[in-house]
Each structure stands twice: as C-alpha cells, then as structure tokens.
Amino acid sequence: MIVLTAVTDVKFIARKGWFVAVSSDCVVHVYNYEKEMQKVTSFRALGRADVWCTLAVHPTQPYVLSGCATEIKLWDRNCIQTFEEHSAAIMALKFNPEDTNSFASASHDATIKVWSLDSPKSKYTLFGHRHVVNFLDFFTRDGQQYLISGSWDATAKIWDMDKKECVHTLEHESAVFQVVSHPNLPVLITGTKDGDVHAWSSNDFRLKRIHNFHDSGWVVGLACLVGSGRLVVAHKTGVSLMEIRDEEEQGGSTGSNENSLSATNLEIQS
C-alpha cells in the first residue's frame, strides 16, 4: 500500500473483506485484505489538498460517506449525494444504527447536524458546544436513542435525539478529542487532550473512573472489541489496551470500583 500523504481516517467494510482509507489530499483508497492486500479502487473526494478528511461506512448498503473540508459526499462507486451546510471542516461522521438512512456530522463550526441520505438539506442542527466538535457516537438507554459528542470546549454533551436538545454535559479538564459508547456495557468512554480516559455510566451519566496516560500524549482514537470489555486507546505516541468491568453488574452499586478500569501499555514499532 502506497499513500504519500497523511492518512486521516480508515474503516473496515467487513462484509466485502475490504478496508477504506482517506488521506489529507482528499483521495479515498479502497483495498481488499482477504488474501494478499490488493487495491480495489481510489477516487478523489474533493479537489483540495492538506485538509482534514473523515469517513463513515454504511452497515448494510454499499455506501461510504466522505467528509473533506466542509463537504460531505455519499459514494456508491460514484458520488450520489452531496451535503453542504457546515461552515468549517467536517471532523467526524456517524451513521445512525437505528435508522441507517440517516447520519450525524460533527464540525469545526461547533455544531452537529443530522441528515437523511436522500436529501442534501440537513434535518436539524444541534447547538450547544462553544468550540470545535471533534467526535460523536450514538447510544441507546431505556429504549431511547441519544448521541454523545466531544469538543475542544472541554465537555462531552449528551443529546436526546427525540427532543433534539442537550440533556446532560460531562465536564472535563481539557479538550475532549474522542468519544465512544461501549457496545456491550452501559459505559461511555471519553478521551482528552491531557491523555485522560474517562468512563461514564450511560444510565445516569455519573463518572465511574479516570485513567491517566499523560506520558503518552493526547488520546487520538478509541476502539471497543465487541463481545468483551476491552478497549484500545490510541495516543499521540503509543497504544494502550484497557479492560473495562461493569461494577454495577458485579454488585458494586455505589462509589467507584478501583478495579473497574485497568490498562496495559503496548509499544508500537513504526
């Protein structure tokens, strides 16, 4: 694989045995990884260079979303829809797992927009952050869908998708770069510029635990392993593997369980 500019995002398309990567020159690269890695195709999402680009892969349809600079495009080999309302760079994209015809975008313009795939106009905009919105994720609590977003304003916000409003704010000491809802546990994870990883209850949004990685630099990525409590944390200078245990299921109904979050640092050779 030869990509001469910085890769800013990568996603698996597991059902095809592919992965898709986008680089800062706005070129999307698609590779087959099942046997020997082979290039399937590449295409230019936008005629720009040296910009932030991000991706989202549809869970069932052969669609990929690209967000390069201020422009979002829906691809099925060719571009089939363009979404242009953000006034600054697109930072993150996420398909809605309960309504896969819709998706959300986070932007440098401090807003979150919710879109339908069949319309170039957004359905609505979520206002509340005071700075860049870096990342977002959907989650469900008691049958109700929510969205969590992380921002340079040192907060993560919880949004009620029915009410279309912020219902809770999770305060941090520094900018929130990454957020993820754990697929198996009632836990929300946030990662910050200071290198802190916070675990929050998705039931009542209380802080359960903080693990500090100051020596490794800011948190640039979070990934959960489905079917377990494992969490991979990517830092500026390394990677850590964490184990999250749900103390509520283990009988710890009050307080913070000191063993609820443990970590192993992994040295990554380049």
Side-chain angles (χ1 to χ4, degrees), residues 61-106:
Q61 298 298 319
Y63 299 150
V64 173
L65 284 169
S66 65
C68 296
T70 61
E71 198 169 283
I72 304 169
K73 290 183 177 180
L74 178 67
W75 301 87
D76 181 3
R77 294 284 182 172
N78 298 307
C79 179
I80 57 177
Q81 188 69 272
T82 300
F83 311 88
E84 296 180 274
E85 286 185 13
H86 283 295
S87 60
I90 311 300
M91 302 302 293
L93 299 166
K94 195 78 174 183
F95 277 103
N96 185 336
E98 293 192 358
D99 175 12
T100 55
N101 192 52
S102 68
F103 68 94
S105 58

Side-chain angles (χ1 to χ4, degrees), residues 107-174:
S107 173
H108 208 279
D109 64 14
T111 69
I112 299 161
K113 290 183 180 289
V114 178
W115 311 77
S116 174
L117 294 182
D118 52 17
S119 173
K121 296 185 179 297
S122 64
K123 297 166 69 174
Y124 56 89
T125 302
L126 300 174
F127 298 95
H129 282 296
R130 303 183 305 277
H131 211 316
V132 178
V133 185
N134 291 309
F135 214 76
L136 44 72
D137 198 13
F138 290 95
F139 69 98
T140 301
R141 184 188 72 166
D142 298 330
Q144 170 64 43
Q145 190 175 48
Y146 296 85
L147 184 144
I148 180 172
S149 58
S151 169
W152 266 97
D153 65 11
T155 71
K157 290 186 178 293
I158 308 297
W159 307 86
D160 185 310
M161 299 306 289
D162 282 343
K163 296 179 180 178
K164 303 178 179 61
E165 64 182 28
C166 177
V167 295
H168 202 85
T169 297
L170 310 177
E171 301 286 349
H172 296 70
E173 295 295 321
S174 66

